[in-house]
Amino acid sequence: MNDHVYKIVELVGSSETSIEDAIQTAIRRANASLRNLRWFEVIQTRGHVEDGEVRHYQVVLKAGFTLEDGQ
């Protein structure tokens, strides 16, 4: 079994559709620029209310990725 060392970054995703879409948006974007993305943890959820309706979702997450040799 390989030993893994993870680097953690904090991301904020947003969506007008849902919390799940906000998470997917953040992970999709991070995956475009980070290699070896392995896990995430939602640490905060919030939203914007307008006229008594939820209009915007926002999530803060920590995402971990494994470091390659030499990093």
Side-chain angles (χ1 to χ4, degrees):
M1 180 175 177
N2 292 338
D3 293 332
H4 293 287
V5 175
Y6 295 92
K7 173 101 175 152
I8 298 172
V9 294
E10 193 168 283
L11 307 167
V12 179
S14 61
S15 170
E16 293 180 352
T17 307
S18 67
I19 290 168
E20 290 82 5
D21 189 54
I23 293 168
Q24 289 288 353
T25 298
I27 295 299
R28 200 175 298 116
R29 183 68 184 268
N31 193 59
S33 61
L34 297 172
R35 288 193 303 263
N36 304 317
L37 196 57
R38 300 288 184 229
W39 57 265
F40 74 92
E41 172 188 6
V42 176
I43 57 174
Q44 212 175 81
T45 306
R46 58 182 169 245
H48 172 73
V49 176
E50 190 176 300
D51 297 325
E53 299 284 331
V54 175
R55 299 292 181 194
H56 204 91
Y57 301 89
Q58 190 177 59
V59 294
V60 178
L61 18 118
K62 289 183 181 179
F65 59 96
T66 53
L67 295 175
E68 296 176 347
D69 291 337
Q71 286 187 315

